Amino acid sequence: MTSSMTRYRKYLFIAPLALFLLITLGYPLVTNIIYSFSDVTFRTIRSPRLIGIQHYKEVLTSPAFWGSFWFSAKFAIVATFFEVLLGLGLAIALAPLLERYKILLTFIMLPLMIAPVLMGIMYRLLLNEFVGPISQIMQMFGIYVSLLNPPWIVGTLVTIEILQWTPFAFLIIFSGLQSISGDVIEAARIDGASEWGVFWYITIPALLPNISIAAFVRFVDSFRVFDHIYVLTGGGPGRMTTSLSIFIYKSFFQQEQIGTAVAAAMVLLIVFLIPLIFSMRQITRK
């Protein structure tokens, strides 16, 4: 009896978490799977009619879907690259200063405290070509361009993403930098290693796990970008800045193509599920 209770005790401990995940993730997932195989509108949302894989065929052959997919992919790759690069540079450059004045960390983290929607509204005002202060300053130097119009709009959106989320990459990398033993670096210097040698052969290898985590999290988050792009451009002009999240939102709420929107969301889930499972297996092996 005692051994039986011990055997089942571990299941009792994880039961609340399993129940929570079942309610918050399991039910919506099953509902979305059903809708992705159904002909459904807001009027028939409680009685969907199964039609097979038609929505998946429509999504995978849709130029609009693939245009949104590749825009999101390129946006995420460029934003992630510069966020991690700047985060690494800031972490190394500011480490001596932050060791003495830790309060500065609060100011560096400020962009993370701002909601992406509010960030979009702020830049909509700052970059307004008639009253925006940034546009006014550019015009003082004879530069008459609107950063919210082609061909500048994509670069503007990526820059806003980088400005807001570089502090996240910085925080992850800076925490790894703090864990590197000073004795190891001191021993390398005594053995004659140059500053570049210490950086390249000790600091970078020690930071690789932190850099990988920061890059993975930021890539996934940037790929799902929605808020500030929707506020600034609504996905336009045309479909020039339509991310995959905006494509799904418009299909669902504006075009009432619920099955198509859910099928696109399921494709997005599968795309990220594969690298997530692979990453978790690598982490648990260690």
Side-chain angles (χ1 to χ4, degrees):
M1 182 65 180
T2 303
S3 63
S4 178
M5 289 182 64
T6 304
R7 188 173 57 185
Y8 289 110
R9 183 176 297 171
K10 60 182 179 182
Y11 298 111
L12 290 176
F13 282 124
I14 65 171
L17 176 62
L19 183 62
F20 174 78
L21 292 176
L22 190 64
I23 294 172
T24 57
L25 296 180
Y27 175 72
L29 180 62
V30 172
T31 304
N32 282 330
I33 291 173
I34 294 173
Y35 284 163
S36 70
F37 290 104
S38 304
D39 181 18
V40 57
T41 65
F42 287 118
R43 289 180 294 278
T44 61
I45 201 161
R46 293 187 176 179
S47 55
R49 182 172 60 88
L50 291 175
I51 58 172
I53 61 172
Q54 181 176 330
H55 291 311
Y56 286 95
K57 287 182 178 177
E58 292 173 358
V59 165
L60 295 176
T61 57
S62 167
F65 170 80
W66 286 111
S68 305
F69 183 92
W70 290 120
F71 171 80
S72 297
K74 287 184 278 189
F75 181 91
I77 290 171
V78 175
T80 301
F81 174 78
F82 283 104
E83 286 168 16
V84 173
L85 187 66
L86 290 173
L88 175 64
L90 287 173
I92 292 173
L94 298 180
L97 190 63
L98 291 173
E99 286 178 2
R100 287 186 292 171
Y101 307 103
K102 296 188 184 302
I103 188 66
L104 292 177
L105 267 175
T106 307
F107 295 101
I108 295 174
M109 293 297 109
L110 274 181
L112 297 180
M113 310 302 170
I114 302 173
V117 172
L118 181 57
M119 185 70 86
I121 294 173
M122 285 169 50
Y123 278 99
R124 192 177 184 82
L125 295 173
L126 290 171
L127 298 173
N128 185 283
E129 60 181 308
F130 300 110
V131 297
I134 294 178
S135 298
Q136 297 294 319
I137 292 172
M138 291 171 62
Q139 290 171 13
M140 287 171 60
F141 290 95
I143 303 172
Y144 294 91
V145 296
S146 173
L147 296 177
L148 294 179
N149 290 329
W152 307 98
I153 182 60
V154 175
T156 302
L157 295 174
V158 172
T159 302
I160 294 172
E161 178 82 356
I162 292 170
L163 290 175
Q164 178 163 27
W165 293 107
T166 292
F168 176 83
F170 160 81
L171 187 64
I172 300 293
I173 295 171
F174 181 70
S175 64
L177 193 63
Q178 295 297 295
S179 66
I180 299 175
S181 171
D183 294 339
V184 176
I185 295 176
E186 189 62 28
R189 286 173 177 158
I190 292 173
D191 289 340
S194 63
E195 290 302 318
W196 172 253
V198 170
F199 171 76
W200 189 250
Y201 294 107
I202 296 178
T203 305
I204 291 297
L207 289 178
L208 272 182
N210 298 71
I211 292 173
S212 301
I213 291 171
F216 180 75
V217 173
R218 286 309 312 144
F219 178 81
V220 172
D221 200 38
S222 296
F223 195 96
R224 299 183 300 113
V225 64
F226 176 86
D227 308 70
H228 74 271
I229 292 182
Y230 194 76
V231 170
L232 284 168
T233 69
R239 289 175 176 163
M240 186 176 182
T241 60
T242 300
S243 66
L244 198 51
S245 296
I246 293 176
F247 170 83
I248 293 170
Y249 174 84
K250 286 185 174 180
S251 298
F252 195 101
F253 289 104
Q254 296 181 1
Q255 301 165 7
E256 206 177 344
Q257 297 175 345
I258 297 177
T260 303
V262 175
M266 294 305 298
V267 171
L268 182 62
L269 174 66
I270 294 169
V271 166
F272 283 116
L273 203 56
I274 296 170
L276 178 62
I277 292 173
F278 177 77
S279 303
M280 291 306 298
R281 289 186 65 180
Q282 294 298 318
I283 292 172
T284 51
R285 279 179 185 175
K286 295 176 181 177

